Amino acid sequence: MNTITMLGTGNATVTQCYNTCFALQTDTTLLLVDGGGGNGVLAQLKRSGIAIADIHHLFVTHSHTDHILGVIWIIRMVAQCKDYEGQLHVYGNDKVQLVIRTIIDMILAKKQLAKVAERVVFHELHDGDKFEVGDIGMQCFDIHSTKEKQYGFRAELPGTTVACLGDEPYNQQNRLMVEHADWLLCEAFCLYADREEFKPYEKSHSTALDAGKLATELGVKNLLLYHTEEKTLATRRETYTREAAQHFKGRIVVPDDLEEVLL
């Protein structure tokens, strides 16, 4: 059984939900994607039933605060977890690796750093790299961000394919990496109807309407929306789904924090 557990679904400045990060799971493998903006990730992991001892693979899309600072906490907890066995593999581009290593070198104690050296393996990724995470086949790609070097990925899970675009708009250069995926994971900063209030295009983000158009263009089967504003949480699932469905006729999922979605 393949699932995605949304540890957080919000954008960088949310306070009523957690920043976007999630866990992809098969029957034998767990891959954590990003860590959110702080030690709130520890509470989200606990609430979702994911133990630090079970985390051995962590993909970091980019080094913005709302994605990378939680990674620092996960690495710290791996370093001091008494029953941790094996190693934590951290995947990310050169900027991601530099930021993580710089922060942990500056703030962790010597005993913790010694455990990091023993337990954590850092894998610097380049555009197009392929690698295996348990029974998940991964290929990363540069999303060609205008703000920060960022990698998305295409993941081949047993029986299903997941394409993650990161948290910025899709770039046509990545079409071959994304099209015809079973699942498209796509940011939707707000509704197109609310664009004047939230200014998504000024912030290099998209809307639910844009995501629906994109899903149809790319011929994907299912669409999952995340990295949203928080002012409409009470109605977000209904309104985002309805707007995306104006163009996309496949399944649309607008998850809440901690929601587990069967892939």
Side-chain angles (χ1 to χ4, degrees):
M1 182 174 68
N2 303 317
T3 61
I4 181 170
T5 301
M6 297 302 302
L7 300 175
T9 59
N11 65 33
T13 60
V14 295
T15 59
Q16 303 305 310
C17 57
Y18 193 60
N19 308 127
T20 293
C21 53
F22 55 89
L24 283 175
Q25 291 182 264
T26 71
D27 289 336
T28 61
T29 302
L30 185 152
L31 170 64
L32 191 63
V33 179
D34 290 339
N39 74 345
V41 70
L42 304 181
Q44 297 301 87
L45 288 168
K46 184 175 182 179
R47 291 174 183 136
S48 66
I50 299 174
I52 292 295
D54 294 331
I55 301 173
H56 295 283
H57 300 279
L58 174 53
F59 183 97
V60 187
T61 59
H62 62 299
S63 59
H64 280 169
T65 56
D66 58 316
H67 295 265
I68 206 167
L69 293 185
V71 172
I72 307 303
W73 281 94
I74 292 168
I75 291 174
R76 174 179 172 171
M77 296 306 293
V78 165
Q80 64 187 61
C81 179
K82 293 181 180 180
D83 59 348
Y84 194 87
E85 297 181 0
Q87 293 177 312
L88 170 65
H89 296 268
V90 180
Y91 309 90
N93 63 51
D94 56 346
K95 174 67 179 298
V96 161
Q97 301 292 352
L98 174 62
V99 171
I100 293 174
R101 297 299 295 268
T102 299
I103 294 176
I104 63 174
D105 286 346
M106 293 179 68
I107 68 173
L108 294 190
K110 289 183 179 180
K111 289 184 178 180
Q112 293 169 336
L113 287 173
K115 282 295 184 182
V116 169
E118 175 186 327
R119 294 178 173 177
V120 182
V121 181
F122 296 95
H123 300 268
E124 182 178 319
L125 300 177
H126 301 89
D127 186 20
D129 278 357
K130 295 181 179 181
F131 55 101
E132 301 294 322
V133 176
D135 59 356
I136 302 175
M138 298 283 290
Q139 184 171 11
C140 67
F141 57 88
D142 192 329
I143 72 165
H144 303 286
S145 168
T146 58
K147 298 190 298 184
E148 177 69 27
K149 188 173 185 178
Q150 180 173 174
Y151 282 3
F153 61 82
R154 186 180 181 98
E156 301 288 344
L157 288 71
T160 193
T161 302
V162 175
C164 173
L165 290 176
D167 73 353
E168 291 191 36
Y170 163 77
N171 189 298
Q172 284 285 353
Q173 295 181 66
N174 293 318
R175 187 179 189 94
L176 293 178
M177 294 296 303
V178 180
E179 66 180 351
H180 306 310
D182 294 304
W183 284 86
L184 177 65
L185 310 186
C186 184
E187 58 95 13
F189 195 78
C190 65
L191 295 172
Y192 183 78
D194 293 336
R195 65 193 181 283
E196 293 302 321
E197 177 181 1
F198 295 108
K199 310 295 184 184
Y201 304 126
E202 296 177 14
K203 300 169 183 173
S204 294
H205 288 304
S206 306
T207 68
L209 189 72
D210 299 322
K213 290 179 179 178
L214 178 63
T216 297
E217 175 189 339
L218 294 173
V220 303
K221 297 178 181 177
N222 304 277
L223 175 64
L224 188 148
L225 304 181
Y226 55 51
H227 202 264
T228 78
E229 47 77 27
E230 65 177 346
K231 290 184 179 180
T232 64
L233 289 180
T235 59
R236 181 179 63 178
R237 190 190 302 270
E238 176 185 355
T239 57
Y240 279 54
T241 299
R242 183 168 60 242
E243 187 173 90
Q246 292 181 38
H247 293 278
F248 181 61
K249 304 310 176 185
R251 182 186 177 193
I252 301 167
V253 177
V254 185
D256 293 322
D257 284 15
L258 303 178
E259 185 171 339
E260 182 180 273
V261 179
L262 182 65
L263 300 176

